[in-house]
């Protein structure tokens, strides 16, 4: 309940035309093979199937959607942890999808990732100090051991970890503290862009706010840009400037958070938002839920026509005949892909 | 309405190699017939262990129910023999869990698993029980129910498996359904499907229900009463309105303040509760929330450290209200503004 000293700052000054990242028609298909001796490809999981968006320098762009819709794959393909099947990823104006070797390594310094499960992503046999300083060694920064230790201690302090514990191991920390270790490690190389892949999903409710507040403070201080992947739609509204809603490998709606949350246009976004419970019985009493039936279709065999037509409550003939509807600007800065809307 | 379940002073501990785990430290509550109780709290607060204890399902060793009574329709469940308890489970009290795979047998068809309990508890023959099983699957919204009786658990999606579990739970018309985080592993659209289903079935079957969750939003719309747990104890309990809109316990207030809301633009910084949940290997002497409590600090309440606040009516409660909490402080009148 103690209010942190930092002032609130959602009125970030952003230059909408300053794109730190430009993603166009990005695809990542994972081959499905069969056969024990002679492996042959029998199909593909179309995890990411043609997504385009820009990320403005200094903003937090949320990426939401049901599990399996391709959020993590999008994040990893942007960072070139997976190489794209097709499409382009431009970071600071430079094309990453064709970049290799040392060039790519240099670019990666400026792009980092924070994972959901702080436990699984930290080497249990390394001390906190070596976990946080490992990226520095890889990139030959702070070669002087003493300076490096000082820098690591500064980082620990900045993320709210007592530097006194620099020689402890991950299992000696709580979940929230482990996520702080993950954040310190991601910050070590002074990146400008961070993909945060469900960074708070595994944390206790009372710890989530701690980590989110820390991420917001760090953004203000260091001018970071975040791609914030999450399934907690309430938290996304809180932390993000804009949000992209994914369904089955595609973006179906994109826009400023308040605009999308107050005026959702795509039937899937409408259902998704209406399904989120609010901790207030008075609000819950009057809520109209749009219940969509069925499950996410298999991404190796998406429906013909609009991807959402198997579950859409307002589908009509066009939705089964035409190819996927394009993402079109229906209100200022608000993009939707649906035949009903455009 | 009359009382269906009356739990008093439940204490459960686990004696492990790393020491004693003080999982549940004196939990008391009642449940009326047909009532829905939401038990909320962060992981490790003792929600599952208290409900497992009243079902006689605490693994022993290492676990032990140290004391308490669980009166259900005039009998103390804690004194029943294992085979008497088995008859109550499934027939009078059913339980569904977060991961349906833990309670489904992967090598038996769904049909076999549902009909088994119908034969055991209701004395049906094979064709009667198959018909009833198909009806139940149909009722919980599984398409093509009769044919799906011969499918195995892995042939169902996560949401469909949870529907199967609900069908099994309902098979013998229980008086009480305990649902332990039944939607936590599911996507929010599937969660909404399950919540709608349970709401509708609850009325149809006139069951009482305990819905356990760490997601405060989930129970806001379905529970008549809410019970907030922390450190193996009940912190606050009352109607949904009382707990969510007139919270009196510092922990409840803090928890609600740390949650962003879907229905408001998130301009304000989230209030955060400092520190982490307690290590349950330390026996709490006083209030388990004391190390993280700003109210204690502001009011300089020393007794919070070593004296357990009793679970009593909140100050100046309206007549007839069951709004209770376990806290030495009264947060009204200028306390919250200062912490
Ligand atoms: N390395 C991989 N190999 C094959 N399929 C994958 C791989 N990673 C993800 N997938 C599949 O791609 C789809 C999208 O996955 P993912 O990006 O992890 O979704 P999300 O993060 O939205 O839950 C899923 O069907 C998933 O099973
Ligand atoms: N089988 C077990 N052995 C040892 N400790 C246990 C066992 N089951 C639960 N506990 C401990 O009891 C405490 C309460 O757990 P639980 O009731 O499962 O919490 P939750 O509120 O998340 O459901 C926790 O500290 C947990 O680690
Ligand atoms: S295009 Fe058709 S099927 Fe797709 S979301 Fe719009 S209305 Fe529904
Ligand atoms: S009893 Fe004391 S420590 Fe516990 S919640 Fe109340 S004021 Fe805080
Ligand atoms: Mg993911
Ligand atoms: Mg539990």
């Amino acid at each position: 309940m103690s209010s942190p000293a930092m002032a609130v700052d959602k009125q970030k000054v952003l230059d909408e035309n300053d794109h730190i990242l430009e993603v166009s028609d990005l695809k990542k298909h994972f081959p499905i093979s069969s056969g024990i001796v002679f492996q042959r490809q029998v199909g593909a999981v179309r995890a990411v199937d043609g997504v385009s968006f820009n990320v403005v320098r200094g903003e937090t762009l949320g990426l939401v959607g049901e599990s399996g819709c391709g959020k993590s794959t999008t994040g990893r393909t942007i960072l070139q942890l997976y190489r794209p099947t097709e499409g382009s990823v431009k970071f600071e104006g430079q094309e990453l999808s064709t970049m290799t070797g040392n060039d790519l390594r240099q670019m990666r310094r400026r792009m980092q990732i924070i994972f959901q499960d702080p436990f699984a992503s930290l080497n249990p046999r390394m001390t906190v100090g070596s976990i946080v300083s490992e990226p520095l060694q890889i990139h030959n920064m702070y070669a002087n051991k003493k300076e490096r230790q000082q820098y690591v201690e500064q980082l620990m302090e900045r993320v709210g970890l007592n530097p006194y514990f620099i020689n402890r191991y991950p299992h000696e920390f709580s979940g929230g503290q482990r996520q702080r270790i993950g954040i310190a490690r991601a910050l070590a190389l002074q990146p400008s862009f961070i993909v945060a892949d469900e960074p708070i999903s595994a944390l206790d409710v009372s710890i989530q706010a701690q980590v989110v507040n820390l991420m917001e403070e760090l953004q203000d201080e260091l001018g970071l840009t975040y791609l914030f992947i999450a399934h907690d739609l309430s938290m996304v509204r809180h932390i993000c400037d804009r949000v992209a809603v994914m369904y089955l490998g595609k973006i179906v709606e994109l826009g400023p958070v308040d605009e999308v949350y107050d005026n959702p246009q795509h039937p899937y976004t409408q259902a998704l938002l209406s399904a989120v419970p609010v901790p207030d019985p008075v609000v819950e009493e009057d809520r109209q839920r749009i219940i969509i039936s069925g499950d996410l279709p298999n991404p190796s065999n998406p429906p013909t026509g609009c991807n959402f037509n198997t579950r859409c409550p307002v589908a009509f003939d066009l939705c089964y005949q035409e190819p996927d509807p394009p993402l079109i600007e229906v209100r200022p800065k608000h993009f939707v892909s649906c035949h009903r809307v455009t | 309405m009359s009382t269906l379940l009356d739990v008093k002073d439940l204490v459960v501990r686990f004696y492990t190699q790393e020491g004693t785990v003080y999982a549940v430290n004196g939990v008391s509550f009642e449940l009326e017939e047909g009532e829905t109780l939401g038990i909320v709290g962060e992981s490790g607060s003792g929600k599952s262990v208290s409900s497992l204890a009243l079902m006689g399902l605490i693994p022993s060793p290492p676990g032990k129910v140290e004391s308490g009574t669980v009166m259900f329709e005039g009998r103390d469940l804690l004194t029943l023999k294992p085979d008497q308890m088995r008859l109550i489970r499934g027939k009078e009290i059913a339980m569904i869990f977060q991961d349906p795979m833990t309670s489904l047998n992967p090598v038996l068809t769904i049909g076999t698993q549902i009909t088994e309990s119908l034969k055991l508890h209701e004395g049906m023959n094979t064709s009667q029980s198959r018909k009833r099983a198909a009806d139940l699957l149909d009722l919980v919204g599984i398409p093509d129910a009769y044919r799906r009786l011969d499918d195995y658990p892995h042939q169902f999606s996560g949401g469909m498996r949870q529907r199967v579990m609900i069908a099994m739970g309902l098979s013998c018309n229980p008086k009480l359904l305990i649902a332990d985080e039944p939607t936590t592993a599911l996507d929010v659209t599937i969660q909404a499907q399950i919540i709608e289903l349970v709401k509708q079935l609850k009325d149809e079957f006139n069951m009482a229900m305990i819905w356990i969750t760490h997601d405060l939003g989930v129970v806001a719309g379905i529970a008549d009463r809410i019970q907030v747990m922390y450190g193996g104890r009940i912190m606050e309990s009352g109607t949904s309105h009382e707990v969510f809109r007139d919270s009196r316990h510092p922990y409840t207030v803090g928890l609600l303040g740390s949650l962003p809301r879907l229905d408001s633009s998130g301009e304000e910084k989230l209030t955060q509760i400092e520190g982490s949940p307690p290590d349950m290997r330390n026996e709490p002497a006083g209030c388990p929330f004391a190390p993280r409590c700003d109210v204690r600090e502001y009011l300089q309440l020393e007794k919070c450290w070593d004296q357990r606040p009793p679970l009593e009516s909140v100050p100046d409660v309206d007549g007839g209200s069951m709004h209770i909490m376990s806290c030495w402080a009264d947060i009204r009148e200028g306390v919250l503004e200062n912490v």
Side-chain angles (χ1 to χ4, degrees), chain A residues 30-36 38-44:
Chain A
F30 295 105
I32 305 172
S33 353
S34 137
I36 294 162
F38 300 104
Q39 292 262 315
R40 67 207 154 80
Q41 191 178 333
V42 293

Side-chain angles (χ1 to χ4, degrees), chain B residues 161-197:
Chain B
R161 253 180 239 145
Q162 202 53 283
R163 287 172 190 265
V164 170
M165 282 310 300
I166 293 170
M168 286 174 76
L170 295 177
S171 61
C172 301
N173 283 319
K175 298 203 175 69
L176 170 62
L177 179 68
I178 303 178
D180 190 352
E181 309 255 9
T183 58
T184 299
L186 304 175
D187 275 308
V188 64
T189 58
I190 311 292
Q191 167 170 286
Q193 293 173 5
I194 299 288
I195 291 176
E196 273 320 295
L197 173 70

